[in-house]
Amino acid sequence: MVFINLRSLIAVSILYHATSAFTQPTSASSRSTSLHATSPAAAVATVVPSWVDLGESLPSDSTSTPEQPLVTLKLMNEDDAAFLEAREVCAAVQSAGFGMLYGGNATTTAAETEEKRLALEAALDAMDDHLSKVTDGGPFLLGGELSGVDIEVIPTLERFRYQFPLLKNVTISSSSLRPNLQRWFEAIDASPAYASRVAGDEYSWTAVASTFLRIFGSRGNELTLEQNATIARVEAAATALTLDFVNDSGGADSTDDGYVAACREAAEKLIANHEAVVADCSRADPKSQKELGRSSNVERADLALRMIANSLLNNNSDVDLTLFRNKKDATEAAFALRTVAKRLSVPRDMGGPAAKVLRRRLMVLAQNMEANAKDSVRPLGIPRRSKFQSKL
């Protein structure tokens, strides 16, 4: 038994999501010209800090990710029969799952597809049965404590958990279907170290599924009608999840330490990668997720993202929308903000709590810009004629 920082095991949980601007770090060295606007209500000039100024505003002890809590972790032991059994059970699930995802081709028959589905169901049932019999009653694979076997398999099963219902109409677990496996998911989700830095989220895994289908589904040929129908279904599911961004505050308020840390992480990531993020949400030739489209106004996208970074750094929700009184400018900036929110992937770009905070601010500001293009100063989160009445 040892104490170990769970972040050291992130290497085994890399998510192969679509290319994102946040994965292309750049220094905060480019100085964007600060824009000014006179607010008729206040009759004072409003200044949006440049990226350099924003970077210099970061606390001196700023780090790219928040410090992770230590967790008790039972390491893997290849001389331990229980470890070997658990690993064999997990390997069977992974093998059957990937066999169903990638084992078919244009000549695969319906009977062969059904055989693959039954093999996956049987492997999942075996894992649920194993979890029902472990020492101390679980909830983990080797008993009551998180182990290296759990960490080794969770990235794959996390992906299966979100993608298989959409791609293959297979439910991995629920409170009534494989309840021990469901309890295992919930126990890992409840680990702060996992949830804050390692865990992916439903939107990220859903959004990337259509990208995987486009890249690997055709295998050099045109996509079939069935594959195109699956892509359309997956993209509809991802779009539905984006509607929750506005309401998802991460379960905290502006005075909560966790919320403040999430704001800081989101600000750090955005500031450190601002050149790539601005370029990605406004480029004419996007490299991935082309279906999302991009803004055509780089300057407005840059300004809007600096406003977001500034609000995160200062943990406030006030922005001056007179900078976007022109309807066309507001529309282009809002489009850029929504693109960033949809391109943001967890945990590749940042931890789940930080992503929740950033996605919400991006979507709320986008909505307010469009709804208030002719208004002056209005707190972010309290748009006129909008159903969203609370500050961030």
Side-chain angles (χ1 to χ4, degrees):
M1 197 79 64
V2 297
F3 283 100
I4 186 169
N5 188 311
L6 192 55
R7 188 172 182 273
S8 65
L9 296 174
I10 291 178
V12 301
S13 64
I14 295 174
L15 302 181
Y16 296 99
H17 294 338
T19 302
S20 163
F22 283 90
T23 61
Q24 306 168 43
T26 58
S27 63
S29 59
S30 61
R31 184 176 296 275
S32 303
T33 302
S34 295
L35 299 185
H36 303 258
T38 300
S39 166
V44 296
T46 299
V47 179
V48 179
S50 69
W51 288 113
V52 169
D53 293 334
L54 288 167
E56 292 174 350
S57 298
L58 288 170
S60 59
D61 62 342
S62 181
T63 58
S64 59
T65 57
E67 183 178 351
Q68 301 300 311
L70 294 174
V71 295
T72 302
L73 184 67
K74 183 183 292 185
L75 294 182
M76 297 182 285
N77 182 356
E78 297 190 1
D79 295 326
D80 187 336
F83 158 73
L84 294 174
E85 179 184 359
R87 204 175 199 189
E88 183 178 349
V89 167
C90 294
V93 171
Q94 294 178 94
S95 177
F98 285 119
M100 190 173 185
L101 277 176
Y102 302 116
N105 53 47
T107 63
T108 301
T109 65
E112 290 171 332
T113 298
E114 178 64 8
E115 183 179 351
K116 293 179 185 298
R117 186 188 67 79
L118 291 174
L120 174 59
E121 298 272 11
L124 290 167
D125 289 343
M127 184 172 180
D128 185 75
D129 182 65
H130 172 86
L131 287 165
S132 72
K133 300 174 181 177
V134 295
T135 306
D136 301 328
F140 302 109
L141 285 161
L142 295 181
E145 296 171 310
L146 191 65
S147 75
V149 188
D150 299 291
I151 299 302
E152 185 178 49
V153 73
I154 184 57
T156 301
L157 265 67
E158 181 185 271
R159 174 184 177 183
F160 290 177
R161 175 193 197 181
Y162 294 126
Q163 291 188 348
F164 265 94
L166 287 169
L167 298 177
K168 301 297 181 180
N169 196 29
V170 172
T171 299
I172 301 301
S173 70
S174 68
S175 58
S176 58
L177 176 66
R178 306 183 189 99
N180 299 295
L181 182 53
Q182 180 67 17
R183 188 166 65 113
W184 177 78
F185 275 121
E186 292 171 355
I188 295 182
D189 288 342
S191 169
Y194 173 78
S196 66
R197 188 56 248 166
V198 181
D201 64 9
E202 184 175 7
Y203 173 77
S204 299
W205 279 121
T206 300
V208 77
S210 61
T211 300
F212 281 177
L213 284 171
R214 286 189 171 92
I215 294 174
F216 303 112
S218 64
R219 299 185 180 181
N221 303 311
E222 289 189 9
L223 293 169
T224 65
L225 291 176
E226 182 180 359
Q227 287 171 327
N228 279 316
T230 301
I231 289 173
R233 183 172 67 253
V234 169
E235 290 181 347
T239 298
L241 289 171
T242 66
L243 301 179
D244 293 331
F245 289 171
V246 168
N247 298 316
D248 194 351
S249 63
D253 58 43
S254 60
T255 62
D256 180 83
D257 288 344
Y259 185 87
V260 172
C263 287
R264 174 170 160 176
E265 182 187 354
E268 289 172 6
K269 294 290 187 179
L270 182 55
I271 293 168
N273 297 281
H274 69 271
E275 291 177 351
V277 175
V278 172
D280 182 78
C281 70
S282 59
R283 65 187 305 157
D285 58 337
K287 302 303 181 184
S288 61
Q289 289 185 288
K290 299 178 182 181
E291 68 279 2
L292 295 181
R294 301 295 190 271
S295 171
S296 61
N297 193 320
V298 179
E299 291 77 15
R300 295 291 100 179
D302 181 273
L303 173 59
L305 287 168
R306 282 189 283 128
M307 293 169 76
I308 290 288
N310 191 44
S311 76
L312 289 166
L313 277 178
N314 294 292
N315 195 24
N316 65 55
S317 58
D318 294 331
V319 295
D320 186 354
L321 294 177
T322 59
L323 296 171
F324 293 90
R325 291 177 67 86
N326 180 284
K327 194 69 175 179
K328 183 176 180 180
D329 286 348
T331 299
E332 288 293 337
F335 196 95
L337 295 179
R338 291 192 178 102
T339 298
V340 175
K342 294 173 183 178
R343 294 274 286 152
L344 179 58
S345 181
V346 177
R348 179 201 57 199
D349 300 327
M350 61 187 66
K356 286 182 179 181
V357 170
L358 180 53
R359 282 173 177 157
R360 184 180 195 277
R361 295 206 181 203
L362 290 165
M363 298 297 269
V364 170
L365 181 55
Q367 181 181 13
N368 291 358
M369 283 177 173
E370 291 178 331
N372 300 281
K374 295 181 181 181
D375 289 346
S376 56
V377 179
R378 187 167 302 282
L380 179 60
I382 311 183
R384 181 175 295 169
R385 298 181 302 277
S386 170
K387 64 181 180 180
F388 303 108
Q389 298 297 319
S390 61
K391 283 194 175 186
L392 294 181

